[in-house]
Amino acid sequence: NQQDVVLLRDSSPSPLFGDLTLNESGTIRDVGVPYLVVETLDVSATVTVAAGVTLLGQWADSSLRVYDGGALVLEGTADRPIVLGPPDRTFTRPASFITVEATASEEDTRLSHVALSGAETCLTLHRPVQVADSSFADCSLYAIRGNTTGYSAGDYTALMSGNTFDSASNGADESYGAF
């Protein structure tokens, strides 16, 4: 094995099929090695990711998806950011590292001091959420893609501050509205 990781996947015999549903509130703690996300982790409860955690996505569907009133709290610090990115060797880019489809409120799901890189779209939002002091790098399509159906671009920008984007990331998806 080339790198020690904690494998996050469902219990099916094949690593290529099935999603893991996180339907009980809890915390993904920093255990000193990265977590390898090999499929979609559906979040339907409040899941907190601790400062310093690294989540690696290896497949096209390696992602965290918030739905059904769930919440995802990623609050790193300047000294210990939360890192989401590909491992050294990937088979394909994840389509979107984090997708927020439905959350109880804008305050429930939030990202602070999170470094996202290496996905087609690093963050996909179907509703506005708080995103602060985070960085986006090497996002081949969009750093943040937001659906403005029912929301205005201002609804998104009001909840975002201090974020940085590298030159390889295209920023916001203009077809969904610039924010």
Side-chain angles (χ1 to χ4, degrees):
N1 125 14
Q2 296 191 9
Q3 181 178 15
D4 290 330
V5 297
V6 175
L7 185 64
L8 294 178
R9 59 170 279 211
D10 75 346
S11 59
S12 70
S14 170
L16 301 177
F17 301 103
D19 293 340
L20 176 63
T21 300
L22 303 174
N23 56 12
E24 291 185 25
S25 295
T27 299
I28 298 175
R29 300 192 187 290
D30 183 3
V31 294
V33 297
Y35 290 86
L36 180 61
V37 180
V38 297
E39 58 209 350
T40 300
L41 299 180
D42 287 323
V43 177
S44 63
T46 298
V47 174
T48 301
V49 179
V53 167
T54 296
L55 297 167
L56 304 175
Q58 183 167 341
W59 305 97
D61 65 346
S62 297
S63 68
L64 302 171
R65 180 175 57 199
V66 180
Y67 77 106
D68 197 24
L72 187 59
V73 179
L74 290 94
E75 292 187 311
T77 64
D79 294 338
R80 297 186 65 222
I82 295 167
V83 176
L84 283 86
D88 293 336
R89 295 171 32 188
T90 59
F91 295 100
T92 186
R93 281 179 181 264
S96 177
F97 272 127
I98 299 174
T99 301
V100 178
E101 292 181 3
T103 185
S105 73
E106 289 99 1
E107 294 80 31
D108 290 338
T109 292
R110 56 192 178 276
L111 288 74
S112 177
H113 295 285
V114 178
L116 295 104
S117 68
E120 289 179 2
T121 299
C122 284
L123 178 60
T124 302
L125 301 174
H126 295 273
R127 67 172 298 138
V129 298
Q130 296 176 19
V131 182
D133 303 312
S134 296
S135 63
F136 298 83
D138 190 29
C139 307
S140 63
L141 294 178
Y142 302 102
I144 301 172
R145 184 175 190 194
N147 182 348
T148 56
T149 303
Y151 302 100
S152 71
D155 292 334
Y156 287 95
T157 57
L159 296 172
M160 296 187 184
S161 64
N163 300 305
T164 60
F165 304 88
D166 77 347
S167 60
S169 300
N170 293 323
D173 177 352
E174 296 298 326
S175 67
Y176 277 60
F179 51 86

